[in-house]
Structure formats: structure tokens, C-alpha cells
Amino acid sequence: MYTETIVKEVSVYRNGCTVSRKGIIHLMPGENNVQISGLTSSAYTDTMQLRFAPSVSAYAVHIVPREEEERESAELTDQINETKELIAALKSQAEMWKNGAAIYNSSNVTVKEIEEYIIAYPERIKTVKAEIRRLEKELKKQQKQLNEAASRDARPLIGATLKAVNEGDYPFELVYQDTAAYWNSQYEIHTDGESSPLEIRVRAEVRQSTGEDWKNVKMSLRTGMPVYSASLPVLKPVWLDYQQPMRDMVYGMARPMMMKAAAAPTINSAMRAEAEESMLEDTAAFGRIEMPEADVSSSDTMTEYALGSVYDVASGKDGLTVDLQKFTLDAKYVIKAVPKKDIKAYLLAEINTKDLPMIINGNAAVYLDGVYTGTCMIAPDYGKDTYAIALGSQERITLSRKANKKKSSSAIFKNVQSSAYECEITVTNGKDIPVTITLYDQIPVTRQDGIKVEVIKTDKADHNEKTGELEWLLDLKPQESRTLHVEYVISWPKDKSLNQSSF
């Protein structure tokens, strides 16, 4: 007795999934030897579970190969061979008509028969070639069906002895773990700027390559990774020994140490903004289609998102994107720049770090006033009170930075040498409205007693002497430019070389 099953529910993890298949089987009173299909080639067979009502008992559940006569691919292979033979025969027939074999091989052919042959030739060739094209298309379909059938034939069957009290149709469930599925988080940030709140949307991209399409499947997404071991690490002794001289270490080394293979990267596709202008009507009032948010539940080990609809996910194709959650956060919008690293000013949204959900970490697509401005990385440090999210650069605020080494000198009696440096930073507000911008720069700091840094000029910057950071808070009128100057002198022992890379 052979029974099919179909996928009804799937719980997708970051790597792998739990598949629940449904089926109905007709049982007679007493023992029934059955075979159940559904396991994929990528399934963990040792995680397979058959679930029946209490009135059905199962014995000797095991994995069995398909019998040769049960393989779908065998019949399809015969059909393909027949199609190929027909195509070859028709091609030979067309070649014979083209060469006039019916006339040249006959010694009693008449003029009338030759005329009839010439008249019939075009239509006959047309009919034969049309049939060849039809068969070639059919052959492609058959070969595709063969590949799919071969994939199904390679899947294991579940053999079981089932015992029922009464005859009837009994529903059952087949549950197992599959490796060929995963999902990745995607994020979108939306804001209108100024005093509007910041909205973060969490989405998910689901992909699977189990070899079968999931159709009308109820789905949930889980943040865990069950394919990895959850065992507690074991501490090994740390032994202290005397360090060997460098010469012994080099010559005693058998081979360079190999680096461990890096962990597989979490596929994370960058979000792209798409806009298509309609040629038939004005779409200015249209908005982004939003799907219902998922029901969220958390346990000690993972978070689960139960999606509120059924979905189709094709195997090995582009996958599926769904909405999970939406968060609205209060934000303070500021403009900041670090011209030493980047001569662009950026609009930032500063939020309370504690308000940012801990599940969010990764690249996010940014939309300002509904316009895609690029991507940013969300990687908050929860040990700090605030976190800034970059929303895009300010094109109408321009910056320049020039750094020069003014001079070097040596003091013979003090046995020191020194170098003087200056930096000039210019910022221009090209907007028609006033702006407030925070600028950052730095002065080198030293960790050696013999190296001294003398600050000459900072143009009223807030100077953090521990880190060397300089901070200016500037209010600029429309079209106003402001130039800042920084000067300092570094001195160190004459018999020493200064490590310039330290600053």
C-alpha cells in the first residue's frame, strides 16, 4: 500500500527547517503493511516522526528504497526513447522527400506521377517539419518531467506496519528536519525627518532548495539554528611554560599554522528601491504594499514569527519576502561630519539604545521622505545610552580639510626634536535654511613619557585630552562658510624614531 503526502506546515530556522506533511491512509482491521512518501533527499531521516490518532498503532517503522517497477523515471524514459525514434523517422522521411527517393527508385514512374510528386512536395515537407517541431517540444517537456521524477525516485520511502481496529480512512502527519532551507533578516528605515518618529521595519527573505515547491503552506520563522550542537563547551587546562628562544621556535616549527575555515556567511541581500511609472494612470497616491505583521513569541532559546497566511515558496528560485515586525522610535535628527575620514556631512537619527530591539543587527535600506537614500549598518552597542543611525549624506553641505606639516627643528642642548602641524577645516552651508552641524577631528595622543604633544590652537573646540578628539558645534546661516584652524607641536628624544602611523 503506497500513500502520498503533501507539505502543509513549515518552521524555517536560520539554517534548516521542520517540515510537517499531511496524508490520509485507508487501513483494514488488523495489521497493514504500508509505504509512505514525502521525505526529501535533504531530510534528516533519523528525525522522522509518524503521528496517528491513538486508535492506530505503528510497528517496524523504517526507511525503504523504491522498487524498480515503482520508479516514475522508468516509464518516462521509455516515452522519451519512443519520441526520439519518431523524430529520427520523420527526419529520414523528410530527407527522402527532399531527395525524391520515391521517383528515382522507381523505373516505371510516369510524367503525371512526377508532376503530382512536385505539387505535393511543399505541403508534405511542411507537415513533416511541423510534426518534428511538435515532437521536439514534447521531448523537452518529457526530459523535464524525467528530471523531476528522478528526483522523486531518489527520495526514501517510509515503510511501516500499522494496526487499526476498524476499517477506515485515517489522517496522519509526517514530521522531519530538512537542511535545505533558511531565512535572512532584512531591514527598512523610514522617516520624514525633522520631528517625525523613526520607523524600523523587519522583513525576512525565505529560501529553500528541497527539490519540491511548497504550495499553500502555513509557515513560521525561528531565530534558532538547530543543525548546530547545543552542547556546553568544555574547558581544557591552560599550561604555563617558559618561552623558547625565537631561533628554536622558528626552526622547530614543522609547518605554518593553518587558519580555521571561516563560518558560512549569513546571506543578506541588500534592499533595492523600485519605482515604476504607470502609463495608464497617476500613481502618485500609491503606497508600498505591506503584509500583515507576524505573531511574535519568544522562549529561552529563540524567537518565533508565526506568519498569518499561507505561502508558496518555489524550490531553488528567488524565494519569498515577508513582513515580520514594525517598530516606531522617538529620534533626534542631527547633522555630523568627520572630514578627516569623509568630506561629507551626514544626517543622523539618534535614538535611545534601550528602545532598539536586540534582534535588529545588519544592513538596512533607508527611505527619507519616501525616497531611497541608500543603506546603513545597524550594529548598536547596548552599553551606550544613545545610538546614531545614518540616514544619508547632505549634498548641500560641503567640507574640505587641509593638513600640513609646518616645520621640524632640533634642540641641541635639550637633545629633542620637534615637528609642528596645522590643519584647516572649512564647512559651507549651501542650504536656504540655517543648520546646526557637529564636526569632529583629532590631535594625536601619546602613551610614552618621552613624547610630548603641545596644543597651540583648536578654535574653541571641545578637546578630549584622553582620546585627542576635537568637537565643534556650529550654527551656520544660509550660504555661510566657516573655517576652523588646529595647530599642535610634537616633540620627542632625538635618538628615537617617531612612529608616524600612530597618528
Side-chain angles (χ1 to χ4, degrees):
M1 186 183 301
Y2 180 77
T3 302
E4 296 279 356
T5 59
I6 58 174
V7 179
K8 298 299 291 184
E9 295 183 22
V10 180
S11 294
V12 184
Y13 297 84
R14 291 295 192 179
N15 192 344
C17 65
T18 300
V19 179
S20 175
R21 309 178 73 99
K22 305 287 186 176
I24 297 177
I25 191 167
H26 187 83
L27 299 178
M28 302 299 293
E31 292 187 353
N32 299 260
N33 293 320
V34 301
Q35 289 186 345
I36 300 172
S37 72
L39 288 178
T40 60
S41 301
S42 51
Y44 279 126
T45 56
D46 56 353
T47 65
M48 176 267 298
Q49 300 178 40
L50 277 178
R51 298 174 180 176
F52 281 88
S55 58
V56 177
S57 301
Y59 304 92
V61 179
H62 59 286
I63 304 300
V64 296
R66 292 179 185 266
E67 298 294 338
E68 188 67 33
E69 60 271 13
E70 294 177 344
R71 295 180 180 270
E72 297 180 59
S73 55
E75 183 178 350
L76 283 167
T77 300
D78 292 339
Q79 294 176 6
I80 288 174
N81 290 334
E82 290 177 2
T83 303
K84 288 180 177 179
E85 290 172 0
L86 282 174
I87 291 173
L90 287 170
K91 287 182 176 180
S92 297
Q93 188 180 113
E95 190 66 23
M96 291 173 64
W97 271 82
K98 180 180 178 181
N99 296 330
I103 297 176
Y104 295 125
N105 293 336
S106 176
S107 59
N108 299 321
V109 64
T110 65
V111 174
K112 183 178 180 180
E113 289 174 335
I114 294 175
E115 291 176 348
E116 291 175 348
Y117 182 90
I118 294 173
I119 293 171
Y121 174 76
E123 188 64 29
R124 182 58 181 169
I125 288 295
K126 180 180 177 181
T127 301
V128 171
K129 289 189 174 182
E131 182 63 11
I132 291 174
R133 288 193 295 270
R134 187 192 70 79
L135 288 173
E136 287 176 339
K137 290 181 180 179
E138 182 65 24
L139 181 61
K140 289 182 179 180
K141 292 180 181 178
Q142 291 174 342
Q143 289 174 333
K144 181 180 179 181
Q145 292 171 352
L146 177 62
N147 293 335
E148 294 172 350
S151 176
R152 289 191 293 269
D153 288 342
R155 297 177 185 174
L157 291 173
I158 300 170
T161 300
L162 303 178
K163 186 175 182 180
V165 177
N166 301 312
E167 179 183 358
D169 292 329
Y170 292 87
F172 68 94
E173 184 178 27
L174 169 62
V175 181
Y176 57 89
Q177 306 300 313
D178 200 307
T179 62
Y182 65 90
W183 71 277
N184 287 324
S185 300
Q186 295 180 341
Y187 306 106
E188 289 183 4
I189 296 174
H190 292 260
T191 182
D192 295 332
E194 298 180 354
S195 59
S196 64
L198 188 77
E199 184 178 271
I200 299 180
R201 298 174 185 173
V202 184
R203 313 185 79 194
E205 180 190 38
V206 185
R207 292 177 179 266
Q208 62 99 353
S209 55
T210 60
E212 65 176 335
D213 296 340
W214 297 343
K215 294 185 178 296
N216 296 320
V217 171
K218 185 178 179 181
M219 188 158 48
S220 64
L221 307 180
R222 296 174 178 172
T223 56
M225 302 181 76
V227 296
Y228 296 124
S229 172
S231 59
L232 185 68
V234 177
L235 290 175
K236 295 183 178 181
V238 177
W239 302 104
L240 296 178
D241 293 297
Y242 289 112
Q243 183 176 348
Q244 297 295 322
M246 182 61 67
R247 179 171 57 86
D248 294 341
M249 291 176 64
V250 172
Y251 290 108
M253 188 177 297
R255 61 181 182 274
M257 294 181 64
M258 302 295 292
M259 295 183 64
K260 292 184 179 180
T266 302
I267 301 174
N268 200 346
S269 300
M271 297 294 295
R272 292 185 175 88
E274 297 182 357
E276 183 174 341
E277 182 180 355
S278 173
M279 300 177 63
L280 301 178
E281 58 181 324
D282 183 13
T283 60
F286 286 9
R288 173 187 177 275
I289 296 177
E290 294 187 33
M291 292 169 276
E293 294 185 39
D295 292 330
V296 185
S297 59
S298 297
S299 66
D300 291 338
T301 58
M302 69 182 71
T303 298
E304 180 176 17
Y305 301 93
L307 306 183
S309 183
V310 293
Y311 297 90
D312 295 346
V313 185
S315 177
K317 300 293 180 63
D318 294 335
L320 171 74
T321 300
V322 294
D323 289 337
L324 298 183
Q325 280 181 293
K326 183 166 58 178
F327 303 94
T328 302
L329 309 175
D330 292 330
K332 177 184 177 183
Y333 298 92
V334 296
I335 299 174
K336 296 186 177 184
V338 187
K340 183 178 180 180
K341 296 293 186 179
D342 189 345
I343 56 171
K344 293 179 182 178
Y346 288 87
L347 176 65
L348 305 173
E350 292 184 342
I351 60 176
N352 290 327
T353 309
K354 64 181 181 180
D355 294 337
L356 190 64
M358 297 190 71
I359 63 168
I360 298 179
N361 193 304
N363 285 319
V366 180
Y367 295 85
L368 184 59
D369 293 326
V371 177
Y372 175 75
T373 62
T375 61
C376 71
M377 182 67 183
I378 304 180
D381 181 355
Y382 288 94
K384 296 183 179 179
D385 294 334
T386 60
Y387 181 69
I389 298 176
L391 302 178
S393 61
Q394 301 284 285
E395 291 185 352
R396 299 179 65 184
I397 297 177
T398 58
L399 297 111
S400 65
R401 183 182 186 276
K402 297 179 181 178
N404 299 307
K405 181 178 180 182
K406 292 177 61 178
K407 58 183 179 179
S408 298
S409 63
S410 298
I412 299 176
F413 297 105
K414 294 183 178 180
N415 198 31
V416 298
Q417 55 184 329
S418 63
S419 293
Y421 296 85
E422 66 176 4
C423 177
E424 182 180 280
I425 302 171
T426 301
V427 55
T428 302
N429 175 23
K431 296 185 177 184
D432 297 329
I433 59 174
V435 299
T436 298
I437 181 171
T438 303
L439 294 181
Y440 296 94
D441 211 281
Q442 63 185 158
I443 288 176
V445 291
T446 178
R447 292 175 294 187
Q448 303 291 336
D449 292 338
I451 303 175
K452 296 182 179 180
V453 179
E454 180 184 1
V455 179
I456 307 300
K457 187 175 184 179
T458 63
D459 263 359
K460 299 180 179 180
D462 184 4
H463 181 201
N464 186 329
E465 296 183 0
K466 184 177 180 180
T467 64
E469 184 180 84
L470 301 175
E471 179 182 337
W472 295 269
L473 184 64
L474 306 177
D475 293 318
L476 300 178
K477 298 177 182 179
Q479 310 303 319
E480 180 184 0
S481 292
R482 191 82 57 87
T483 299
L484 306 171
H485 293 88
V486 177
E487 296 182 18
Y488 55 90
V489 177
I490 303 175
S491 59
W492 66 97
K494 191 175 181 179
D495 61 342
K496 302 287 186 181
S497 296
L498 195 65
N499 183 8
Q500 296 290 331
S501 63
S502 63
F503 59 89

